[in-house]
Every structure is written in C-alpha cells, then in structure tokens.
Amino acid sequence: MQNISLAIVLAPLFGAIIAGLFGKAIGRAGAHWVTIIGVAISFGLSLVVFKQIILDGADPYNGAVYTWLVSDGIKFEVGFLIDQLTALMMVVVTFVSLMVHIYTIGYMRDDPGYQRFFSYISLFTFSMLMLVMANNFMQLFFGWEAVGLVSYLLIGFWYQKESAIYANLKAFLVNRVGDLGFLLGIAAVLMYFNTLDYADVFSAAPSMANVTAEVAMNQQWSVITMICILLFIGAMGKSAQVPLHVWLPDSMEGPTPISALIHAATMVTAGIFMVARMSPLFELSQTALSVVIVIGAITALFMGFLGLVQNDIKRVVAYSTLSQLGYMTVALGASAYATGIFHLMTHAFFKALLFLAAGSVIIAMHHEQDITKMGGLKKYMPITYWTSLIGALALIGFPGFSGFFSKDSIIEAVQISTVPGADFAYFAVLLGVFITALYTFRMFFLVFHGKERMDEHTRSHLHESPAVVTVPLILLAIPSVVIGAIAIGPLQFGDFFGRAIYVLPEHDVLGVLRGEYHGWVEFIVHGLMAPAVWLSAAGVAVAWFLYLKRPDIAASIKERFSWVYNILDKKYGFDDFNDAVFAGGGRSVGRLFWRFGDIKLIDGVMVNGTANGIGWISGVVRRAQSGYMYHYAFAMIIGLVVLLTFFVY
C-alpha cells in the first residue's frame, strides 16, 4: 500500500515538474500529455485502492514514509492514512482533476501560458492528494498551505489583468486569516497531546474531554472546544464560510478550468474533509458543533440570496458553491459527517459539470460572460445544453439526480438534530432549496432559452464546442445523475466509513434515519412528499415565469425593491467593510508609521538630527578658532587656572 500511495501522489508532481521546468522543450502537446498521464495514473491507482479498501474490505493502512525531524521525542513525519474516507476522496479528486485536464486542452489552446497552466493544475492535484492522504497534522498543514499557494497562482494566472492580481491577493490574505487559526489549533494539539499523529491524538481525545485551559482574564475554556474552533476557523477560510467567504467569488478571475477544480474537488472541499476527519475531536464539543452548524446555515442561506442578482455566468455558479458548502458544513455540525461527505462527492461531479459547461458557453460567446447578453443557445449547443440541464437539476435536488439524495439527507438530518442552532439551520437549508432553484434556473433560462440577445457577429459564429470540451461534460454528467442512487445506501446508511468517522450515540442522527431507509426508490417516494422538493419546483416555476414568461415583472420588482437589490449587489457590504477597515486601516497605520516613524523619528531625529547636532557643535567650535594670538593665550591661561583648581581641590 505504501508504494501505491507514493505513486498516487508523485505521478501528478512529476508531471507538474516536467511541464513547468521543461515546458518549452516538450512543447504544448508534451505539457498536456505528461500531466494528463500523471493524473490518469493517480486515478487508476486510486480505483485500485478503492477496490482494496471498500470492495475487498482490506484493513486501512497507516504508516510513515519519511521522518523529517525528531524533537523532544515528537516525530514530524510524512505518512499516509488510507482508510474509507481517504479512498473516496482520492477517487473524487483524481477523477474530477482528470476531466479538468482533458477539458483544458480545448479551453486554453490559444493561451500563451499553456504549459504553465498544466503545470499548476497538476501541482494542485498533488497538493490536494497530500492533504487527504495525510496521517498527521504536519503533513495536513503542508497540503493545506500547498493548495492555498497553487490557488493563488491560478486565480492570478492572467497576471496582466489588474482584477486577477487583486483577486489572488484577496484569496491569499483571507486564507491567511483562516490559516492563523488553523495553525494555532495544530499548536494546541501539539501542546496538549504531545504528538501530531492522528491515531495518537484521537485515542487520547476522550481523556482530554474535561481538561480546561485559561484563555484570557481567568476565563476557562475546554481544551477540545478551543482546538476544534481554531481548526474550524481554518476550514472557514478554505471552505469559504461567512465571514471568510469573500475570496471565493473573486476567484472567477482565473480561467474556467481552475474555477471547476477549486470549487469541485480541491481547495474548498479541504475544510469539509478536515472537519470530517477530525470527528473524534468535534464530537466531544457541543459548543464547537453549534458554531459549525450556525456558520454553515448562515452561509447556505445568505450566500444563496447573492446568486439572485449576479449576471456573470461563472459568479452565479460560484455563489451556488458558497451555498452548497454551507449545506455541507450544516451536515457536519449536525454530526451527519457521512452526509456532508456524501454531498461533497455528489457536488464535486455536478459542480465541475456546471463550471465546465459555463466554460463551453463562454468559448462559444467569444469570452462573453454576461447572461443578459445570451439567450437561445439551446439550438446552437445541444450537448452543452443537456449536460447543463443535468447539472442544474442535480444542483437543485431534482428527485432521482445525485444532488437530491445528498441534499435531502442533510435536511432530514438537521431536522432531527438536537445541537443548539439546529432549528435555525433547518429553516435556512429548507428556504435555501427554493433560492437555489430560483437562481440556478434564472441562469439556465437566460442562457439557453428566450430571445437571442447577443450581437450579430457572435450569433453568426455560434456552434457546439469541440469533443475535447464536450466529452468531459458527458463523463461528468453520468455520475451527476446516477452516483446518488448508487452511493446513498452504503455511504450514508451503511458501514461505508467504518472507523474513519466517529459519532457519539447521542449525536447519531443518521442512526435514526437508518431505520427509515428502505432503498433509493423509497427515498425518492418519501422525498416527493417532503417540502424540499416542492420548494425546489416552486423555484423553477418562479424563474420560468419571471425570466421567460413575464420579464417585465422581474424588472419591476428590481426597481421597486431597489434597496434590497443594492444590498445584495454590494454583497451585504463585506467587501466595502474589508476595504475600508482592514485594507484601508492597514494603509492608514502604514502611513502613520511612515510619517512619524520614518520621516520624523528615523530621518528627522536619528539621521538628520545627528547631522544637525554635529553641525551645531562644529559651529560653536569654529567660533573659538578666531586666528588671534591673544585669544589663544587667554584660552591657555583659563585652561591652566582650571587645571590648578582641579589639582588643588
């Protein structure tokens, strides 16, 4: 297992190195072939691991590959933990990444940074694999920071654009805030557990359940609660939870393939995976679970509202990612970790599909991204149309599609959860179903139906994207339809995860639901009688009425409730607040230090003050050098008197 694990992580790394350092020598074709082969090897070997761990029931592998440092008996190692959770994540990450690599051949074919882009996305895959396969906190942190670094490089890939540079700097800085909490959490683990190894920390966690630490002003906090909240702050940054969500919409400044990779399988799923992996810790803190479920609920609902006013096709899909990440976080807070990972998996397929379909539309529209300038594309792009429809139906949770099984499971789990904040979370995720359907099909109808609103030049060149673009769409559409029905039984209600996920008996909401589950067909029948499906249908109907049947009403609503529209258009003022308080405050503090520190203290007092002091002393001394002999004789007499006085007394 160790050799297979090494091959899985190293294959994309070698591809990234070859494409990055020798891109000019191997050419454009060489760059995409070496990286695609590397990721394909990882995907194939991940399937082998999945078969061994899941289908054949092999024991999980937990072993060190390399010991980097030993200090005071604490080992800092590179090692792999291959269990059921890891095996599932490996397959999802490598499959979506492989589809994105293939799609990139068509999308980026005319870009001068072709080889560099393939190097980056292959490096992204390596970083995420190192994260999900880690068996200790040090390697987890390495993968955590590596995906952050590569996302910075990819969001700002078109570095000639000022907006791209702003976006990648924003992503970098916001994630530094989250990563500070994450690093403090790891430091607390090391301080109280005296180890960074997952197995040792998890086995010792119950004995630490009642241990407290003084945080500030004689306030005693549970050590486990403190660690969990600090770790979750890191997850809030990576998985874009309020208020650390502001970087994710701006990540659309990067090329569309990387938007798909970030939103579906890598960066944003890291936080969800991490909390699920840390379930033995989170289960011991009711407070941490409440924080998780409330933050997730706020993100799920209020980020969905923002999708209603977006006209950029990629930003609509981006805000849907924010909302769906909120759903996953709510599931984690309800202790339905398996459901959160289930939704992570289904979401990876249909969200990658939606982003790549959006990219196909952007290619056809000559890189026009405004959905109000599209319309009627169904007859020009039939494959993109049908695959987009599949992705949209999966996203809104249409019965039978993959998103239906995972999203409805989250709603059911939250409904019976007793964690403080679960009532608010249930309201948020239920209302979020209607909002999701409304903004998703607003986008779908404006892009593919209705009158054609593009200019004549664009219309005359409209056609379906090449096979290198449409084949990945088709391959992603298949699991977007069927994977939910296939996986819901074993993954959510069976013993799929084994000991990889730990849930206390009093928190086992899926155990309650397990008694009511009788198969995926019955789950669909049950779902048809639940409010979520009807709210979703209502959202589609309202979108059809407002944006196809009576668009004048939509315009009237926008004008009448312009104050609401302005609040949503300004994204609740988060960006303005951050620019004014944090960015503006940082610049003001810098100017203050510059004026009083650099100019007045260093330049004025220390540098110029020294020079001025020496000049003043020189001026005084210069007056004593008059050139008259009697002045010097008088000075000598005065000096002699002083010396005699000194010696006498």
Side-chain angles (χ1 to χ4, degrees):
M1 184 67 75
Q2 178 175 312
N3 293 335
I4 293 179
S5 301
L6 279 171
I8 289 172
V9 297
L10 292 180
L13 177 61
F14 286 154
I17 292 172
I18 294 171
L21 298 182
F22 307 103
K24 290 185 177 180
I26 63 177
R28 297 164 75 89
H32 70 237
W33 275 115
V34 72
T35 51
I36 288 174
I37 290 172
V39 175
I41 290 172
S42 290
F43 174 59
L45 293 178
S46 296
L47 291 177
V48 172
V49 170
F50 188 88
K51 176 182 180 299
Q52 292 177 353
I53 298 293
I54 306 299
L55 303 181
D56 298 342
D59 291 333
Y61 169 79
N62 184 10
V65 175
Y66 172 70
T67 300
W68 176 58
L69 178 67
V70 178
S71 177
D72 291 334
I74 302 171
K75 293 183 178 180
F76 297 85
E77 298 175 326
V78 176
F80 299 125
L81 171 60
I82 311 298
D83 58 7
Q84 295 87 342
L85 177 58
T86 307
L88 177 66
M89 290 296 298
M90 288 161 59
V91 171
V92 171
V93 170
T94 53
F95 175 72
V96 173
S97 179
L98 180 60
M99 294 300 101
V100 170
H101 274 70
I102 296 172
Y103 176 94
T104 300
I105 298 174
Y107 192 89
M108 300 290 288
R109 66 178 184 270
D110 297 324
D111 196 283
Y114 190 84
Q115 293 97 315
R116 178 166 56 94
F117 188 82
F118 272 97
S119 175
Y120 286 170
I121 59 175
S122 190
L123 187 62
F124 211 163
T125 307
F126 158 76
S127 303
M128 189 65 185
L129 287 171
M130 286 292 286
L131 188 154
V132 301
M133 295 169 66
N135 74 340
N136 63 83
F137 284 91
M138 187 199 77
Q139 185 175 328
L140 174 70
F141 187 71
F142 167 80
W144 196 266
E145 293 303 305
V147 295
L149 169 64
V150 183
S151 68
Y152 168 82
L153 296 174
L154 283 164
I155 293 169
F157 180 79
W158 287 322
Y159 54 83
Q160 300 90 345
K161 294 171 57 180
E162 185 176 342
S163 57
I165 297 303
Y166 176 83
N168 73 347
L169 184 61
K170 186 176 183 179
F172 187 83
L173 293 176
V174 172
N175 274 277
R176 293 293 68 74
V177 176
D179 291 351
L180 174 61
F182 189 64
L183 186 59
L184 290 174
I186 294 176
V189 168
L190 182 60
M191 177 178 177
Y192 288 98
F193 290 89
N194 205 39
T195 180
L196 292 175
D197 186 79
Y198 288 167
D200 294 339
V201 171
F202 296 160
S203 62
S207 65
M208 299 290 293
N210 297 318
V211 177
T212 61
E214 183 177 321
V215 180
M217 300 172 61
N218 296 323
Q219 293 293 317
Q220 296 292 322
W221 273 47
S222 163
V223 167
I224 294 294
T225 296
M226 179 178 66
I227 289 172
C228 289
I229 290 179
L230 287 171
L231 293 175
F232 181 64
I233 291 173
M236 289 168 63
K238 281 288 181 291
S239 293
Q241 298 297 290
V242 172
L244 301 182
H245 66 284
V246 293
W247 67 271
L248 191 58
D250 287 353
S251 70
M252 298 301 97
E253 291 294 334
T256 298
I258 194 51
S259 300
L261 200 55
I262 288 177
H263 287 244
T266 53
M267 180 99 162
V268 298
T269 61
I272 306 300
F273 164 81
M274 185 274 293
V275 175
R277 174 61 80 198
M278 300 301 146
S279 59
L281 299 179
F282 279 85
E283 281 299 288
L284 300 175
S285 174
Q286 185 92 325
T287 302
L289 291 175
S290 293
V291 170
V292 172
I293 200 170
V294 170
I295 292 294
I298 292 172
T299 305
L301 180 60
F302 289 96
M303 294 302 104
F305 283 131
L306 297 184
L308 295 172
V309 300
Q310 301 300 314
N311 291 327
D312 186 311
I313 187 171
K314 288 172 64 177
R315 286 184 180 267
V316 176
V317 185
Y319 278 106
S320 80
T321 299
L322 281 169
S323 182
Q324 297 309 303
L325 288 168
Y327 275 84
M328 298 175 210
T329 305
V330 164
L332 300 174
S335 293
Y337 303 98
T339 306
I341 296 298
F342 182 32
H343 195 51
L344 182 155
M345 179 191 69
T346 60
H347 176 265
F349 295 122
F350 65 71
K351 186 50 58 71
L353 172 60
L354 284 171
F355 264 114
L356 298 188
S360 178
V361 170
I362 292 170
I363 293 172
M365 292 292 297
H366 298 286
H367 294 276
E368 174 61 66
Q369 298 182 195
D370 190 342
I371 60 177
T372 63
K373 298 179 181 179
M374 300 180 188
L377 294 184
K378 176 184 176 181
K379 66 180 180 181
Y380 300 103
M381 309 180 71
I383 298 176
T384 301
Y385 171 81
W386 288 108
T387 53
S388 296
L389 179 60
I390 289 171
L393 292 174
L395 173 60
I396 70 170
F398 188 84
F401 287 74
S402 61
F404 163 77
F405 295 99
S406 55
K407 184 183 285 187
D408 271 37
S409 297
I410 293 173
I411 296 172
E412 294 283 346
V414 174
Q415 186 178 15
I416 62 175
S417 175
T418 58
V419 174
D423 292 339
F424 166 68
Y426 178 68
F427 165 78
V429 295
L430 200 57
L431 179 57
V433 171
F434 172 79
I435 301 301
T436 301
L438 180 56
Y439 68 67
T440 300
F441 273 84
R442 169 183 176 264
M443 174 187 70
F444 184 79
F445 290 142
L446 288 177
V447 172
F448 293 104
H449 291 276
K451 66 178 182 179
E452 300 172 1
R453 296 178 296 277
M454 70 287 294
D455 58 63
E456 187 57 39
H457 174 75
T458 302
R459 181 188 291 109
S460 64
H461 290 84
L462 283 174
H463 59 82
E464 185 59 272
S465 298
V468 75
V469 171
T470 56
V471 169
L473 294 180
I474 295 169
L475 293 178
L476 285 166
I478 295 170
S480 296
V481 176
V482 304
I483 198 67
I486 294 172
I488 185 172
L491 195 148
Q492 179 159 285
F493 299 117
D495 192 30
F496 181 93
F497 289 109
R499 296 182 180 180
I501 288 176
Y502 173 76
V503 181
L504 288 174
E506 58 267 31
H507 293 165
D508 192 11
V509 293
L510 293 184
V512 177
L513 294 177
R514 191 175 294 118
E516 303 174 4
Y517 178 74
H518 304 290
W520 64 271
V521 176
E522 288 78 5
F523 192 91
I524 294 176
V525 174
H526 171 75
L528 291 173
M529 298 181 289
V533 169
W534 296 105
L535 284 170
S536 179
V540 175
V542 171
W544 172 82
F545 182 76
L546 290 180
Y547 297 102
L548 285 185
K549 187 71 174 177
R550 293 291 303 276
D552 58 300
I553 295 180
S556 176
I557 292 174
K558 176 181 175 181
E559 183 177 351
R560 185 171 183 179
F561 296 96
S562 58
W563 62 276
V564 177
Y565 177 85
N566 289 333
I567 291 174
L568 297 179
D569 187 51
K570 290 184 178 294
K571 309 165 194 173
Y572 306 117
F574 276 103
D575 284 341
D576 292 339
F577 177 83
N578 291 335
D579 287 342
V581 176
F582 294 114
R587 289 191 296 268
S588 297
V589 171
R591 283 193 295 267
L592 184 67
F593 280 118
W594 169 64
R595 287 173 181 169
F596 291 96
D598 284 359
I599 295 179
K600 292 192 175 181
L601 179 61
I602 297 175
D603 291 342
V605 176
M606 297 176 66
V607 178
N608 295 331
T610 302
N612 293 335
I614 293 173
W616 179 81
I617 294 172
S618 300
V620 173
V621 173
R622 186 167 59 247
R623 289 192 182 95
Q625 302 296 324
S626 63
Y628 294 109
M629 184 65 70
Y630 64 88
H631 284 174
Y632 299 149
F634 182 73
M636 290 171 64
I637 293 170
I638 294 297
L640 182 61
V641 171
V642 171
L643 286 173
L644 288 173
T645 304
F646 175 77
F647 284 116
V648 169
Y649 289 98

